[in-house]
Amino acid sequence: MKRSLTVLWSATFVVLALALPAQNPPAQRAEQPSVPARIGPPPENASAEELESSGDQLRAQKSYADALDYYRAALRKAHSAVVWNKIGITELQLDRPKDAKKSFDRSLKIDSKYAEAYNNRGAVDYILGAQQEARAERAGKKGVPGGALRDYRKAIREYSRALELNDGSATYHSNLGTAYFALKDFPNAMNEYARAMQIDPDVFERRSQIGIAAHMSSPEDRAHYSFVLARMYAKSGNFDRALLYLRKAIEDGYKNIEDVYKDQE
């Protein structure tokens, strides 16, 4: 996913939809395999570039295990920070965050100034923190647990490092804002979101729904996040999107919805 991860959420996935004959009954459609069939091993005579390209295509088709085989075959031909980064992303898509972090570490060992690997390493920390927070909430515990706080702070350090190397990335600013949001540091979150929107007004529209909002542990946080975006879009004059996010805030039960009538934006 060459585009950076942003909490799994900043990359664009290409999904191949297989058209079924119109006469097939619903029962037949349900029998379609949900996991792509494995393909043959990577060809020995392929170049590192060809193997990497094949890995990209397989990952786009959600054939993640095969993609890993091809990326690893590419690494045997040539060491590459970019390929290690892609391996880490693929491992995240296989729900293996700890393996992914090791791959991002290897990427940075080869190229210590590779901003995307820092961003993606921050994404792992954010995801681990969000998972801890979700487990605590399911157990009926109030507040953000200490382990999650540590992970969110680690994510902030990683995102900040990525921004030191590339301050012009809307995705990195948006990710940093989300990590601040998780710590309830709303002023810093707003600053980063505003910077992201300044660089790319459409950045939040391209964020995958399996990303930011999905990893916020509670509906209250998702509602607050939507209200913050509604304010920002209203301030920028994009009233259609302001109303869209205001509706999302209401649907998730934003408690201070009466602020609409007294908030300057």
Side-chain angles (χ1 to χ4, degrees), residues 186-204:
F186 301 125
N188 273 324
M190 286 285 290
N191 287 339
E192 294 302 325
Y193 286 155
R195 177 67 176 134
M197 190 179 290
Q198 183 182 26
I199 296 169
D200 179 3
D202 295 323
V203 62
F204 297 105

Side-chain angles (χ1 to χ4, degrees), residues 95-171:
D95 196 21
R96 289 156 45 183
K98 292 181 179 178
D99 289 339
K101 193 160 190 179
K102 290 177 184 176
S103 296
F104 297 137
D105 289 344
R106 291 187 177 103
S107 176
L108 289 167
K109 240 181 183 179
I110 297 172
D111 182 359
S112 62
K113 297 190 181 299
Y114 189 23
E116 288 201 11
Y118 284 109
N119 175 73
N120 293 344
R121 199 160 66 173
V124 174
D125 290 324
Y126 177 84
I127 290 166
L128 292 174
Q131 289 174 346
Q132 289 195 63
E133 189 174 357
R135 285 195 294 270
E137 185 180 358
R138 287 195 297 271
K141 297 178 182 177
K142 302 282 187 180
V144 182
L149 289 174
R150 285 191 294 274
D151 284 329
Y152 290 145
R153 289 177 183 133
K154 287 181 187 176
I156 287 172
R157 287 196 295 272
E158 299 291 353
Y159 292 143
S160 298
R161 180 67 176 124
L163 283 165
E164 287 174 10
L165 296 165
N166 180 12
D167 187 57
S169 169
T171 293

